[in-house]
Amino acid sequence: MTLTPPLPPVLSTLPTGLLVDGEWRDATDGGRFDVIDPANGRVLSSIADATPDDAQAALDAAAAAQRSWAGTTSYSRADILRRVYEVLLERREELAWLITREMGKPLADARGEVQYAANFFRWFAEEAVRIRGTHAVAPDGRGQILTVREPVGPCLLITPWNFPLAMGARKIGPALAAGCTIVFKPAPQTPLSTLALAQILQEAGLPDGVLNVLPTTRAAELVEPLLRSGVIRKLSFTGSTHVGKILLEQAASAVVRTSMELGGNAPFIVFDDADLDIAVEAAVAAKMRNMGEACTATNRLYVHEGIAAEFTRRFAARLADMPAGDGEEEGILVGPLIDAPSLAKVERLVADAIAKGARVALGGNADDLAGYLYPPTILTHVPVDADLLTTEIFGPVAPIVTFVDENDVVTRANATEWGLVGYIMTRDLDRAQRMAGALDVGMVGLNTGIVSDVAAPFGGVKESGLGREGGHLGIDEFLNHKYISVAAPKA
Ligand code: NAP
């Protein structure tokens, strides 16, 4: 296999500093950290490592820019977002390359992520001009009730590493459309896509101070003072439930509004009336997209006993045909996991399941693979006490559990603290409707393994989070309602 030649321009023109008040700067203490390519362990770039003083400067800049940014017309904000959409697509190849190199996913997936990220800018450019209030006449005749929507104010946005461009786009797009300024903290494993996006936003005409970007290895030290400052009025976080709970406590100290996109433990339920071709393709998408490193990744496949052998045979044939390697190589469909701890976690979860009685139908051993690669893996006969049924696997491992009774599988699917997404494979319309209602989740994939869509409200229930991103609800997260009581005219 041959490596596509790297595209040096994207790295050579990429800023490596912090963006504060429109200026790319070094950290106040001069510190930097390395961004590592997960496919080969090489250093991709060295990035300024923001300090709490830098965070204060970013906060000051966001606060100072808030009033003028909120005062811009929605047409002018929409124009900037639309330009960003266009530039992201023009630069799709180099951005996809950047995502593949810093995060590991195969190029085809990375191209899909650039498209997904761009679509958020297009969508929120269109939403920016549709921010609406309400009007009513007071029922007792005392006057009129007007409500207007206003930006919540400076926002803190925090993202994980698994979709380095799209997770930022899903927050930056609506925040800017609503008229909010931003302090943005990307994940330290994958800050490069964010820096590229920030540069594109600047070039598209975003005024200084509206977006401030703080790559850092000192997240906890930086973020807590920001949340307690009383200046940040909105936190939008995507990441683990564990960290989300810490941030919710901190946000409570200054009554900061929050949106939380947290972990998942998605059940994927295949009934014996399912179209198996559709079910298998949906399972491949729900499990293998992003190497399983997605909050929407199915973590547990419940397959009806009557079709379990056939489903497993076909699913295994599809996964066996997915080569693992450097995501930039032609034909590679499974890239490396993000880092050594992630690989160790997946190995531990598989070993635990096998020790408790699970059988390996495919994969299950990374010994022949380099670096952080883990092979597509299917486990059957997975016992209820296997840790991977109650832990986010975040890797290409599919545990299959059989069931017979619909009520029983609902009980098992809901027996988790999470509730992000559930997948249902059936041709029976009544059953589909019953199941969609019965699952305690924020999103349902009905005969599909992909639910992400910029036009849909993405989000979970229970410990999977609060609020929604995308769709018509996405911009609401960044807007307050203000009620104006208008006195009746003098008679
Ligand atoms: P994570 O460890 O929670 O980190 C997420 C972000 O929070 C990173 O930028 C991280 O920076 C930062 N962070 C960690 N501790 C912090 C603290 N005390 N104060 C402030 N910031 C802090 O999650 P991850 O491992 O990067 O991402 C995987 C998780 O994200 C999974 O649970 C996945 O399900 C979830 N996720 C959810 C969605 C969704 O839409 N629901 C989408 C994608 C991912 P540091 O790395 O420097 O700590």
Side-chain angles (χ1 to χ4, degrees), residues 159-161 170 185 188 237-240 261-263 295 392 394 458:
T159 51
W161 47 263
R170 201 163 74 174
K185 194 210 85 62
F237 172 76
T238 298
S240 62
E261 296 290 349
L262 308 176
C295 52
E392 252 191 319
F394 247 55
F458 189 103

Side-chain angles (χ1 to χ4, degrees), residues 423-446:
Y423 303 93
I424 304 162
M425 303 294 127
T426 179
R427 279 187 282 209
D428 179 332
L429 182 59
D430 288 336
R431 171 175 276 151
Q433 293 186 77
R434 272 197 311 274
M435 289 297 296
L439 292 184
D440 295 336
V441 292
M443 301 178 286
V444 172
L446 190 53

